[in-house]
Amino acid sequence: MSPLPNYRPKQLSLGPLETEILNIVWELDRVTVKDVHDRILADPDRELAYTSVTTVLRRLTEKGWLACDKQERVFYWQPLVTKEQAQVIEAHEKLHRFLAVGNPDVVAAFADSLDRTSLEQLDAIAKRIQAARQQREEK
């Protein structure tokens, strides 16, 4: 996974429709309202007003997830962070909230409840952290 990006959206919390539309933007990279609307309506069980898509795209822009560019009479939206960067930001936020508990007993209780696969993942993470520390010390 990549390092924590320098840019971070103003507001990280997203609703279900915002998340769905952001995923479409990530998939298509640069979109119009019509692109997103058509993609959603490709599911025959879905209904969504064109204006609702516009509203969500504007909201995602206000929250700092998308940039909007007008060319002639058409608005285009594109992501300001990649999906991978968003995952790194989310993981970073979750880790900080977990560590904010600050109670070693709570953290230890969590560690005691992990299965073998989780413990192997934690070992891999610990090795990456150690390697990153060594790189910093060498600089």
Side-chain angles (χ1 to χ4, degrees), residues 3 6 8 12 24 41 45 56 99-100 104-105 115 120 124 132 134:
N6 293 329
R8 180 191 148 132
L12 296 180
I24 292 169
L41 294 184
D45 297 329
V56 172
L99 294 175
D105 293 333
D115 61 12
E120 289 170 0
Q134 285 176 347

Side-chain angles (χ1 to χ4, degrees), residues 53-70:
V53 174
T54 303
T55 299
V56 172
L57 286 168
R58 285 188 180 146
R59 200 175 317 138
L60 288 168
T61 302
E62 291 167 7
K63 289 182 175 186
W65 287 96
L66 303 178
C68 182
D69 178 39
K70 184 178 181 184

